[in-house]
Amino acid sequence: MRPPVPRRDRRLTVAAAVPLALAGAAAAAQQAAPLPAVQVNATRLDIPPFDLPAALSVVSAAPADAGLPGVNLSEVLTGVPGILARDRQNYAQDEQLSIRGFGARATFGVRGIRLYVDGVPATLPDGQGQVSHFNLDAAERVEVLRGPFSVLYGNAAGGVVQLWSAPGTATPQTVLGVDGGSHDSFRYSVDTRGTAGALDYNVAAAQFLAGGYRAHSRVDRRSAHARLGFDPGRGRQLVLVLDGFDQLRAQDPLGLTAAQVRADPRQADPAAIRFDTRKSTRQGQAGLVYAWRPEQADEMRAMVYYGQRRIEQYQSIPVATQADPLQSGGVVAPATNYGGVDARWTHRGELAARAYEFVLGLGGDYQRQRRLGYENFLGDALGVRGRLRRDENDNAADVDAYAQWYWRVAPRWTLLLGLRRDAVRFAEHDFYVTPANPDDSGHVRYAATTPVAGVQFRPADALRFYVSYGRGFETPGYNELGYRSDGRPGLAFDLRPARSRHYEAGVKWRASRALELDAAAFRADTRDELAVASSLDGRTTYRNVGATRRQGVELSLDGELAPRWRLAAAYTHLDARFGRGFLACTGTPCATAATPIRAGTRLPGVPADYGSLRLAHGGALGWREGLTLSATGATTANDAGTARAAGYALLGLDAAYVLALGEGARLQLSARVDNLADCRYIGSVIVNDGSGRYFEPGPGRSWMLGARLAF
């Protein structure tokens, strides 16, 4: 299959664009303000990112500064290496996230990456996560942890993304926002934060409406977030985190074939229209974090959370396919209750007259999911709920224990060690049992011990070298465990967890007080990766296929080039390949994996080169201007590499004017143009799509106008 061909060849390689933007930056930054001290939580240590032997990026969550509405997490990840965030122009399937190639095979939601909001997990015990309820209006920063130390977060931790809300401000402040732009997009938002005695608060709510770039992609989603902090005194702190998300309706245009993209990239697949494919989601979640410092050297932290998530999704499975008694229908309706606890103790002291910090923790999570399936037709009417075809409980639980130790072993040397033990159990209870559809009940348990170690050398105050190593694992989720490849009932007990070894060497250099350059070389070797074993009558089965290797380099530069000039730039080269040959499942339908895949074939969904850059100018008042560049290399969409999306580069420009209205009030008016060259490109791919609809086109030239009133 030939890839879709852009109608304008305006591509620019990131490898060329980033060095041009970086030339001379260190010298120009000498007079700029120093980099701010940032307290991060990604490694559970009270250590600045610069002093950690790990690849950790911390970015300010302020999409409005770039004229962006704050709908997608990708809006605040410009300048972060290693992570690839793709807006699919399809809110029925959520955003695509991958870190160093982990998570790229997910066809919906987020897999292979651990997600957190204010320390509360947004990833279920089976490894499936979502970022739809991430509220950027209340956010202060986003932390992205890559490489070996990610494994300290357990199952499916190929990387860690954490969003942290800002605490309440000493002076109460409210921000009202409105954005409108191309494709009938509108967003309304409000955020209020402040203090009232011992309480600090940050409460935000928003509604996003869009007609969509493609046909049949209309969306109406609403979200609310609250962070309430209490200070009882005596070194104690209590934080309550509340999240609500209601996506009333998100139409699903489905992916397109290469021929459909060439004919009209804005079309929806005809099956999407016939079956009115769509998804509605409602989620509520609460988390409570209690921290107590009884002594200067000790700190205790306990977290408990609970949530509910309800989904109803209408798929395009043909009526004839559902005649199979084993078929579970074209309407998916899971209702999930989930929750968990985490408790840890931190101790700071000295060993051999050298400071150390020790963390010991214990936690557990669970999910109780009632999964129902229905036919997506009634008589001749399509896209409506029909007969019940699936009724089961898909439950999962994990128990984990972890320890970390950070020690300044010598004036120029530091050591960071970690160890984690995880046990994950899946249990399915099937209530839809007929003579032609046997009982699928069953259970399976996985366990792993994952160590990690890192060493950092400090030859100068502004320079750090480090090396690190870790071992990780990723269990199959219910999407893979649900059906056995031999056709017998029960979970796919023969599937093994993917186990990985991570290596990293890096350097961090503060070229000036206000500019930091980071570079890392990495490698991850994984065995027992999963691949499709069969795809027949709506049931997909999986099997372990052997080894893979992901290796490459990351570069990032972040800081002030000069007064009022700021740059954030990142480039990633990633070589991700299958280490052994295997037989892949191709065709529709596919009863048996029979297509040979040679060793050395690239992993699908993983471009070899990608990066982003933002150059901004301006201050607190008056004019602000910005330029954003993002670029991605060619990406294969299936294991065989026969489906391929061409690489692209996108340029965006934005401008804003901020004026003071008196008594602390300010008004910001902004305008933004994206894809300035109006390039035709594939924004994301659906890896190994069983119908050959691999491609999700991105929008052409588009615009956005916004206004923010702060008082």
Side-chain angles (χ1 to χ4, degrees), residues 206-251:
Q207 181 180 18
F208 173 63
L209 303 164
Y213 164 68
R214 294 176 57 197
H216 196 71
S217 59
R218 188 172 298 276
V219 62
D220 180 359
R221 67 193 312 182
R222 305 165 188 182
S223 64
H225 175 84
R227 180 198 180 276
L228 307 175
F230 303 88
D231 183 7
R234 297 184 178 180
R236 294 172 293 175
Q237 184 185 38
L238 189 65
V239 177
L240 177 63
V241 181
L242 302 172
D243 280 289
F245 177 76
D246 193 359
Q247 185 165 273
L248 303 179
R249 183 183 179 95
Q251 294 177 322

Side-chain angles (χ1 to χ4, degrees), residues 596-682:
I597 306 298
R598 295 182 301 174
T601 301
R602 292 196 61 86
L603 291 180
V606 183
D609 299 279
Y610 56 94
S612 58
L613 176 151
R614 174 157 177 82
L615 180 64
H617 171 261
L621 293 174
W623 283 103
R624 298 176 181 171
E625 307 86 26
L627 175 153
T628 303
L629 173 68
S630 61
T632 301
T635 306
T636 57
N638 58 357
D639 289 339
T642 55
R644 179 176 177 270
Y648 59 87
L650 305 177
L651 177 65
L653 299 177
D654 60 90
Y657 188 78
V658 184
L659 63 154
L661 301 180
E663 297 185 2
R666 293 185 179 183
L667 176 64
Q668 173 181 304
L669 302 176
S670 63
R672 180 178 180 88
V673 179
D674 283 302
N675 193 1
L676 191 65
D678 198 25
C679 292
R680 195 169 182 173
Y681 70 103
I682 301 299

Side-chain angles (χ1 to χ4, degrees), residues 94 108-111 113 115 122-124 126-131:
D94 212 347
F108 64 92
V110 179
R111 283 200 59 83
I113 301 173
L115 305 170
T123 299
L124 295 174
D126 74 340
Q128 188 73 33
Q130 59 278 324
V131 296

